Amino acid sequence: MKLTHAAEEAVKMGSMVDDINAYSYAYPLELPSEKLVFKWVESRKPERYSSAAPLSRNFETESVSNGPADARLRIVSERLDLIDNLVISVSIGPPNSTFLTSKDKKTWTAKDVADSVLSDKSALRVTSSQRLEESSVLDAHSTDIDGEPYWYYEYLVRKSPTKIAEASKMYRHYISSTAERDGYLYTINASTLGKQWDMMGPVLERAVESFRLLPPTDSYVPPYKDPWRFW
């Protein structure tokens, strides 16, 4: 999906800069063609990776005595528009070596990066393989920006295991971009309900395409610093 020039002009965007984790992206403020003003709430203000709550737990490797052994992926910032059912979040986590076997990120495919991120994404009590089964990747591709690879992928996530729910209400439609720095994957996720994708998808895609890792400043806290610290 690509925005037309007219659509680009129609969307008014704001800017999000996280100095703690050194990234930025643009997010939609208004869609004049639809007379729509987005009502964003910053549900998670930017915080260091070590203090962010884990997004998932891996019950394949977790034991009662040791606690969660794979609290890898963490949301470090998030904004919501509850009225329009929109979510934009940024998560950080190490690559999953099951899918990204090489240390050379230039060899990684977008589908393998997507599988790596999605395998750690679920908050349900399921295994890594079941997390992947929750999601259906529709498209995956990569591009180089300033000499660094960015991987883009679009996917659906089922909301309900029942077959009686309406199809349009059974899933959320996501568009994501991932970049790597210092051995960690930085991912922006933007999503809405499947039935709203035709109108909201191009707007969310523009937000995801704007995602960039920034040169670290003195405020930057790398993810590997005190990785298990929660305060």
Side-chain angles (χ1 to χ4, degrees), residues 4-227:
T4 65
H5 183 65
E8 288 179 348
E9 291 181 340
V11 185
K12 294 185 178 179
M13 307 291 285
S15 178
M16 160 66 173
V17 178
D18 178 356
D19 292 325
I20 298 173
N21 299 293
Y23 65 81
S24 69
Y25 65 85
Y27 60 94
L29 297 175
E30 296 182 36
L31 190 57
S33 62
E34 300 292 335
K35 298 182 179 179
L36 176 62
V37 177
F38 296 100
K39 301 174 179 62
W40 294 106
V41 175
E42 197 172 29
S43 56
R44 300 193 191 192
K45 295 183 180 298
E47 60 181 319
R48 56 190 289 167
Y49 173 78
S50 61
S51 64
L55 182 61
S56 65
R57 300 167 68 189
N58 189 333
F59 293 92
E60 294 169 315
T61 56
E62 179 177 330
S63 66
V64 174
S65 60
N66 294 331
D70 190 22
R72 299 157 49 91
L73 191 65
R74 305 180 185 189
I75 294 179
V76 295
S77 72
E78 182 178 71
R79 65 182 61 242
L80 314 173
D81 182 333
L82 298 175
I83 302 299
D84 297 302
N85 286 294
L86 306 179
V87 181
I88 300 177
S89 66
V90 175
S91 61
I92 299 175
N96 188 325
S97 59
T98 300
F99 305 99
L100 301 176
T101 58
S102 171
K103 298 295 185 182
D104 182 3
K105 63 185 176 183
K106 298 289 187 180
T107 67
W108 296 351
T109 68
K111 179 61 165 59
D112 287 342
V113 171
D115 286 345
S116 174
V117 174
L118 294 177
S119 67
D120 288 330
K121 192 173 186 293
S122 175
L124 302 176
R125 188 181 180 91
V126 294
T127 64
S128 293
S129 60
Q130 287 173 320
R131 288 178 193 142
L132 280 178
E133 290 173 3
E134 292 176 10
S135 307
S136 301
V137 177
L138 304 178
D139 178 65
H141 64 277
S142 63
T143 186
D144 275 12
I145 300 174
D146 298 327
E148 289 294 323
Y150 282 72
W151 300 275
Y152 298 89
Y153 41 102
E154 184 179 342
Y155 61 98
L156 308 178
V157 174
R158 293 198 303 271
K159 291 183 60 184
S160 168
T162 67
K163 295 182 178 180
I164 58 177
E166 292 181 32
S168 63
K169 296 180 180 179
M170 277 187 62
Y171 65 88
R172 289 191 69 84
H173 201 138
Y174 284 77
I175 185 81
S176 300
S177 175
T178 297
E180 186 274 345
R181 178 172 58 204
D182 294 333
Y184 284 78
L185 301 180
Y186 290 65
T187 300
I188 182 171
N189 289 289
S191 70
T192 189
L193 298 178
K195 64 181 180 179
Q196 297 184 171
W197 184 256
D198 287 346
M199 181 173 72
M200 297 298 185
V203 177
L204 295 179
E205 183 177 60
R206 185 173 179 186
V208 168
E209 288 180 343
S210 72
F211 179 66
R212 297 289 185 275
L213 297 187
L214 302 176
T217 65
D218 291 341
S219 301
Y220 173 63
V221 180
Y224 54 78
K225 186 174 183 180
D226 301 325

